[in-house]
């Protein structure tokens, strides 16, 4: 298994900085969305289907923004791990994270085994 080493720091620093910029841009853009309850557009009158569609779109946009906020927190945490040289190691077990995983998900804080455990626990908690 290939793992992260300090020679890759610049590459991951750039990847994380770009993702941070993308997420911040997305969040700024989502703040410019019209209010579906208060904007009837140029038509002046909206029927029930239009209102329902606007509300559905607003809900989707809100979910996307929530996901972007969580991902931004993960990216910022990964950048801190890069700075303190703990990047590339699982926060739970301390083992090195496979480089393929880090390449696909630069903000990954857990190895695949620990990530699977967390997801299983989350699924079990949701079923209760």
């Amino acid at each position: 298994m290939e793992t992260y080493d300090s020679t890759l720091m610049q590459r991951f620093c750039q990847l994380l900085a770009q993702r941070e910029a993308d997420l911040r841009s997305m969040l700024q853009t989502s703040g410019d969305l019209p209010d579906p309850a208060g904007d009837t557009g140029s038509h002046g009158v909206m029927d029930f289907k239009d209102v329902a569609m606007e509300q559905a779109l607003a809900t989707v946009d809100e979910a996307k923004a929530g996901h972007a906020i969580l991902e931004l927190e993960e990216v910022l945490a990964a950048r801190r791990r890069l700075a303190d040289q703990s990047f590339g190691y699982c926060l739970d077990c301390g083992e090195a994270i496979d480089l393929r995983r880090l390449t696909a998900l630069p903000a990954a804080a857990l190895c695949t085994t620990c990530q699977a455990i967390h997801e299983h626990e989350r699924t079990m908690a949701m079923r209760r």
Side-chain angles (χ1 to χ4, degrees), residues 6-71:
S6 61
T7 64
L8 300 168
M9 183 177 186
Q10 187 62 30
R11 173 180 164 203
F12 280 96
C13 201
Q14 290 172 344
L15 285 171
L16 290 165
Q18 181 59 52
R19 188 61 184 151
E20 179 183 352
D22 292 345
L23 290 166
R24 288 186 185 280
S25 175
M26 181 189 320
L27 288 168
Q28 287 175 344
T29 301
S30 70
D32 296 334
L33 294 173
D35 177 15
D39 184 14
T40 58
S42 60
H43 303 293
V45 176
M46 295 179 74
D47 66 16
F48 290 114
K49 289 187 285 186
D50 292 336
V51 171
M53 179 59 90
E54 290 288 330
Q55 289 175 342
L57 290 173
T59 301
V60 168
D61 289 337
E62 186 176 314
K64 285 181 183 178
H67 179 76
I69 289 168
L70 291 175
E71 187 179 352

Side-chain angles (χ1 to χ4, degrees), residues 73-87:
E73 290 172 357
E74 292 170 356
V75 167
L76 294 173
R79 293 187 77 187
R80 286 190 296 274
R81 289 193 305 277
L82 266 173
D84 72 13
Q85 299 176 358
S86 64
F87 183 83

